[in-house]
Every structure is written in C-alpha cells, then in structure tokens.
C-alpha cells in the first residue's frame, strides 16, 4: 500500500463519526439485523472551465451525509440521512430495517426464497488510509488554477490553424468513514484530478473541422500533476501540428489491418470489453438494465479463452495514483490485487461480499463502492489493467515489425453491445504504417471486432517503458445511476488482421 505524506482532513475527523455509527449500529442490532454497516461521507467536487482562455463556468459543491445498510431476515435494507444527531442516526437505522422487512415480503411474494448472505472478511478495526498525493488541489487558489489553464489555452490559440480551445479541470476530494457490526471501522481520504484541453481547427476553404484533446489521463494525484507530473509543454507544443495534419489527412481504405494500439487508446477497449465483462453481477444477470450483462458467464470460469496467451489482466485496488485505488471498500474489505485473465484464460471476477458468497468464493476482492451517502454500495470496477511484457519492446519497435497497418493514438468514441461482445472504437489520431514506418495520418478510422476475436489476435506487447495508467472519471452503473472513477493501465500492443471501417462511408456520406 503506497505511503501518503498527508494526514486525514481534521475538519472531517472532527465530525461525530464514531458516535453516529454507534447510535445507528446499536439500533439496527436491537431491531434484529444480522448485519449492519454505517457510512458517513463528505464528497467535494469542483469544475473550472475556460473557452478560448476565458472562464466560462465554475462549480464547487460538497455532499455530506450518512447511510445505513442492513441485512435483516435475509433481506437488504437501506436508508440515508443528513441530520448529524444520534437520534437521527438511530431513526435512519430503523428505516433501513423497515425497508429490509418490506424487501423480505416482496421476495416471499415473488417466491425467490433467496437469502442475502455476505462472504467473511477479517475485522479491520480503527484503520486509516490516505491516497498518494503531494498538493491538495483545493488548497491552490482558484486564480492560480484558471491562470494556468488560460496560459495553456493561449499557447494553443497562438498556433497557426487553431480556431478555438476548451480547457477544463475536474477535482474531487472524497472523505469516507465506515463501521459495521462485526467491528471494522475505517476512515479514508482520496484526491483525484482530471485536466483536459481540446483544440479545434477549421479549414476555411472546405468548412471541414477537426478537434483533438490532450492525452494526459485523469489521475489519483494532486496539483503536482499540473506543475511537473506530466510533460505538458511537449504535449501542448505538438498538438497544433497533429491537428493540422489530421485536418488534411486522407480517408482510410476499409479492410483488415494489423493495428499497433497506443495505451492512450487501448485503456478504453480494456474498460468496455474486459472491465465491465468481468463484473460478476453482470455475468450472473443481477446487473442488466444499465449497460447489460456479460458474455463471460460464470460457467466459463477457468475455461474461456478470452485472448492470446500473452494476455495477463489484473483487477487491482492498490495501484498508486489509480482512480479506483482505496485502502478499504464500502463493505470494509481490504484492498487487493488479483488475476482476472491469466495466459489468455478467464480466471477471476470482480466481487463484492454478496456476490462472493453467492458463488462460493472465500472472500470478496473489495469492489463495493457508492458514489454518495444517498446511494447504496454496488459492485464497481477495480483498476483493471493489462500487464506489459517484462522485457518487451518500445512502441517504435512494435511499429517496425508491422508491414501494413495502422497506429492508433488517443481515445474518442466507442460502441459495445449489451453482452460486452461486439464493439467498435475510434481514436484521436490514426497513422498509416507502411513497411514498419509511420506514413502520415488517416481520417475516418474505426476498428471493429468481437471481444474474443480481438484479444485472441494480440501478437505482441510492449515493455514496461510503454505502460501508461489511463482511465476515466465518469464510469456509469446502477439504478439510480452512480458514477465512479477508474484507471486502466496497459502497454502498447499489436493486433493482427482487425477489421477497420471508414466511418464516413458507414454514415452514408
């Protein structure tokens, strides 16, 4: 577990965390709950947005409240509140038990007979954990934040051909206290940050336009990410020429190509085709209405050939600076790292305590998460990452091994079916590869495959020097809808004979 130089925020620690938890858990226990947990959260989220170097929008909001979840007579109950008094916490616990009794009657009427049971977890008493960062972005004056974004925007606007620039910075500080009737209690603090600039170029002769975003991924880091944690000077300096070349690039000839995919694009393919597909609640059909189930059904565990033997994928709640990295999940389960795919074969799933017990796993791997005190924890994605080849080549060496292909950089749009099987992805930049060398950008490129055909076509992996931890702030799941931030690390990789579409032709234009 990475060490962090920061203590817990004293203003959060000063809240009546333990007293509220004791009141709620005692009431739930007195009402006959087999299990009860209490979660108090304070989540601060902020946005700074600029249009052509001028501030166009800002927001800074804080959610503070608590939730009580119970298992009573084998049924779930949940309630939440914002009144930070002992009487109110006990009352919310009573509401959660009443909800569990109602749920039990519904299940009885439906004839399911299914009882909620949770996988065992060691007791973690009085634990604290703070994510790894140097400077809390909320300690930096707003003028300094918007000033830096304006200065970066001005650099891009000064370049020939750049017509407009959008810049934004998202930041979040999440404080969470958890306690349950088994004796676990944890207090945590996480920081995350996502800076992004988008430049737009317009061809005055044809009216065509193109846009391009920075590739710097969102991170579980602090303000230091903007002042030295990424080579912003190099990325901003190169962006206008990349954009100009894209605007005048020829349209792709559709067909089968060997693809060299950069981590800045491949992370999203991992998220959609591996991350969501290996959530056990989807594989079992418990999650279906929001983004579907999974082709990787439980009966195929240990036998499904997901990809090539080069494919080693881990679920990980411990990666330093990962957006899904925690010390403990929202069921008090300690963070872990485990195999999802080993040597190309499906070997694991992402679990919470109920899903783990349901299918006989000895322990959850810590994937329960709620994005708000008003929401019940659901099984959410860990950092799901593809391992690099230990002594693997550079991206340039991978490209040199391709006679006719396309090198793809940066994510853009995606489409995938409700079983996470048939998909299509586009990118920000696509370079034709001819005889092992990049031969200029192409436009209108999308790659299309089934999940297993695509991953089985992987023939080479880059080394650790090509590995990047990408990710997103806004993965959606559940009803009512929740969002979660998640990272995906991967190296550059080569895929043989992948079908490439021309998106303009497909659109009938």
């Amino acid at each position: 577990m990475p060490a962090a130089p920061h203590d817990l925020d004293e203003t959060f620690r000063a809240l009546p965390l333990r007293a509220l938890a004791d009141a709620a858990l005692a009431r739930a226990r007195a009402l006959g709950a087999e299990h009860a947990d209490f979660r108090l959260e304070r989540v601060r989220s902020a946005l700074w947005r600029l249009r052509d170097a001028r501030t166009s929008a800002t927001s800074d909001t804080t959610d503070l409240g608590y939730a009580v979840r119970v298992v009573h007579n084998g049924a779930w109950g949940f309630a939440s509140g914002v009144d930070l008094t002992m009487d109110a916490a006990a009352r919310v616990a009573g509401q959660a038990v009443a909800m569990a009794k109602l749920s039990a009657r519904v299940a009885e009427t439906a004839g399911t007979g299914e009882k909620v049971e949770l996988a065992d977890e060691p007791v973690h008493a009085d634990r604290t954990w703070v994510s790894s960062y140097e400077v809390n972005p909320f300690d930096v004056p707003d003028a300094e934040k918007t000033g830096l974004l304006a200065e970066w925007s001005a650099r891009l606007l000064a370049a020939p051909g750049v017509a407009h620039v959008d810049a934004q910075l998202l930041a979040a500080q999440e404080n969470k206290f958890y306690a349950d009737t088994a004796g676990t209690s944890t207090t945590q603090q996480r920081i995350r940050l996502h800076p992004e600039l988008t430049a737009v170029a317009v061809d005055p002769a044809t009216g065509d336009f193109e846009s391009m975003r920075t590739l710097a991924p969102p991170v579980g880091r602090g303000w230091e990410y903007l002042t030295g944690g990424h080579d912003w000077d190099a990325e901003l300096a190169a962006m206008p020429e990349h954009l100009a070349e894209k605007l005048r690039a020829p349209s792709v000839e559709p067909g089968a190509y060997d693809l060299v995919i950069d981590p800045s694009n491949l992370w999203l393919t991992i998220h959609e085709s591996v991350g969501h597909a290996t959530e056990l609640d989807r594989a079992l059909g418990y999650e279906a209405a929001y983004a579907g189930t999974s082709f990787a059904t439980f009966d195929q565990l240990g036998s499904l050939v997901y990809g090539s033997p080069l494919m080693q994928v881990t679920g990980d709640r411990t990666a330093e600076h990962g957006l899904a990295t925690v010390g403990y999940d929202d069921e008090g389960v300690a963070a872990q790292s485990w195999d999802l795919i080993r040597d190309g074969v499906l070997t694991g799933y992402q679990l919470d305590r109920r899903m783990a017990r349901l299918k006989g796993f000895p322990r959850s791997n810590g994937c329960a998460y709620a994005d708000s005190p008003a929401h019940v924890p659901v099984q959410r994605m860990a950092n799901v990452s593809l391992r690099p080849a230990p002594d693997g080549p550079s991206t340039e060496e991978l490209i040199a091994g391709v006679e006719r292909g396309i090198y793809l950089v940066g994510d853009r749009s995606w489409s995938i079916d409700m079983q996470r099987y048939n998909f299509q992805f586009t990118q920000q930049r696509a370079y034709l590869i001819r005889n092992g060398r990049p031969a200029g950008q192409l436009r209108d490129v999308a790659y299309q495959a089934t999940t297993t055909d695509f991953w089985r076509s992987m023939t080479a992996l880059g080394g650790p020097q090509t590995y990047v931890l990408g990710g997103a702030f806004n993965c959606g799941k559940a009803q009512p809808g929740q969002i979660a931030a998640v990272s995906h690390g991967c190296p550059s990789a080569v895929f043989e004979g992948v079908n490439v579409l021309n998106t303009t032709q497909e659109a009938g234009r």
Side-chain angles (χ1 to χ4, degrees):
M1 190 71 61
H6 291 273
D7 294 328
L8 286 164
D9 188 327
E10 286 300 326
T11 62
F12 182 73
R13 196 195 288 272
L15 295 170
L17 309 172
R18 187 76 256 177
L20 291 170
D22 287 347
L25 298 179
R27 181 60 176 159
R29 193 182 289 112
L31 292 173
E34 296 110 71
H35 166 89
D37 54 56
F38 172 90
R39 180 168 43 84
L40 192 149
E41 293 189 22
R42 188 182 67 189
V43 182
R44 185 177 179 185
S45 304
L47 161 72
W48 298 267
R49 179 173 292 156
L50 284 73
R51 172 69 168 172
D52 292 338
R54 295 181 179 177
T55 300
S56 61
T58 62
S59 66
D60 191 339
T61 61
T62 298
D63 289 334
L64 173 62
Y66 55 90
V68 180
R69 188 182 66 157
V70 304
V71 179
H72 185 281
N73 193 25
W76 284 123
F78 176 81
S80 61
V82 296
D83 184 348
L84 303 186
T85 64
M86 311 317 131
D87 286 347
R91 190 162 54 249
V92 168
Q95 292 168 348
V97 171
M99 181 61 71
K101 291 179 178 177
L102 179 61
S103 299
R105 288 201 297 274
V106 171
E108 184 179 355
T109 301
T112 64
E114 188 174 287
K115 298 288 187 182
V116 173
E117 295 181 350
L118 305 181
D120 294 337
E121 174 66 15
V123 172
H124 310 286
D126 299 323
R127 305 295 175 88
T128 61
W129 183 87
V130 180
S131 66
S132 180
Y133 64 92
E134 295 176 16
V135 180
N136 189 327
F138 291 102
D139 292 339
V140 177
D142 282 2
E144 189 172 338
K145 298 187 187 85
T146 55
L148 182 59
L149 293 176
E151 194 268 319
W152 286 353
S153 298
R155 285 194 217 175
L156 291 171
L157 287 166
V162 176
H164 298 286
V165 174
D166 291 314
Q168 70 172 18
L169 174 65
L170 301 169
Q173 177 175 332
E174 182 182 286
N175 286 92
K176 190 170 295 197
F177 172 79
Y178 169 92
D180 63 30
T181 45
T184 286
S185 62
T186 64
T187 313
Q188 303 187 85
Q189 178 168 302
R190 297 201 295 165
I191 295 290
R192 50 185 179 269
L193 202 61
H194 188 191
E196 183 178 87
L197 288 92
T198 302
V200 179
V202 180
D203 186 328
T206 65
D208 290 344
F209 66 91
E210 281 289 355
S211 64
M212 193 168 288
R213 285 185 282 109
T214 45
L215 300 181
V219 289
R221 300 187 64 179
W223 182 247
E224 67 278 3
Y225 184 52
L226 285 89
T227 58
H230 176 77
D231 194 347
W232 293 99
D233 289 341
E235 179 159 29
L236 295 173
M239 209 166 151
E241 179 52 38
H242 289 321
L243 183 56
E245 182 185 0
K246 184 178 182 180
L247 191 61
R248 61 177 183 265
S251 196
V252 68
E253 183 70 28
Y257 289 84
D258 293 345
L259 303 181
V260 180
I261 305 184
D262 191 81
S264 57
N265 181 276
L266 191 58
W267 76 266
L268 183 56
T269 311
I270 293 170
H271 176 86
E272 301 294 349
S273 70
V274 182
H276 280 307
T278 56
E279 295 169 320
L280 186 56
D281 59 345
R282 290 191 195 279
L284 296 177
Y286 282 77
E287 172 72 14
Y290 197 152
T293 56
S294 173
F295 77 96
T297 50
F298 189 73
D299 59 304
Q300 300 179 89
L301 182 65
S303 61
L304 174 63
V305 179
Y306 212 106
S308 90
L310 299 173
M311 189 181 188
Q312 319 290 343
V313 178
T314 58
D316 189 358
R317 298 282 267 172
T318 69
E320 188 172 27
H321 304 313
L323 294 168
T325 297
V326 295
Y328 304 87
D329 78 350
D330 286 357
E331 294 185 320
V333 177
Q336 300 158 48
S337 178
W338 68 100
D339 287 343
L340 292 169
I341 298 169
R342 187 186 310 140
D343 301 330
V345 177
L346 175 70
T347 54
Y349 286 101
Q350 301 165 70
L351 310 169
D352 60 18
R353 292 181 68 179
R354 189 200 178 192
M355 289 294 124
R357 173 56 61 90
L358 201 63
K359 301 309 292 184
F361 291 93
R363 186 186 179 197
S364 164
N365 44 40
C367 291
Y369 176 75
D371 67 353
S372 155
H375 287 154
V376 67
V378 293
Q379 187 192 296
R380 295 311 309 265
M381 203 180 297
N383 304 305
V384 172
S385 300
L386 174 68
R387 290 183 208 155
D391 300 312
S394 66
T395 301
E396 292 74 19
E397 290 170 320
L398 291 174
I399 292 172
V402 173
E403 183 175 349
R404 175 181 178 273
I406 301 175
Y407 172 47
L408 304 171
V409 179
D411 68 275
R412 195 148 195 167
S413 65
W414 74 97
S415 175
I416 191 164
D417 70 21
M418 297 292 277
Q419 280 70 52
R420 302 280 151 186
Y421 196 59
N422 297 280
F423 65 63
Q424 177 176 312
F425 291 88
T426 65
Q427 66 295 308
Q428 296 205 57
R429 284 183 270 143
Y431 295 89
L432 178 66
I433 301 172
R434 187 182 294 134
N435 299 322
R437 292 177 178 273
Q441 287 194 51
L442 298 168
R443 295 179 70 173
D444 310 322
V445 175
Y447 62 97
Q448 178 192 51
T450 68
T451 293
T452 49
D453 284 349
F454 176 77
W455 287 107
R456 290 171 188 172
S457 76
M458 187 170 69
T459 56
L461 284 168
Q465 72 276 29
T466 75
Y467 186 89
V468 176
L469 194 64
F473 251 43
N474 56 350
C475 174
K477 188 176 180 181
Q479 291 180 326
Q482 299 190 34
I483 61 170
V486 59
S487 292
H488 302 286
C490 56
S492 297
V494 178
F495 300 82
E496 283 190 353
V498 180
N499 189 41
V500 168
L501 305 175
N502 181 303
T503 56
T504 297
Q505 292 178 13
E506 292 292 322
R509 289 180 287 170

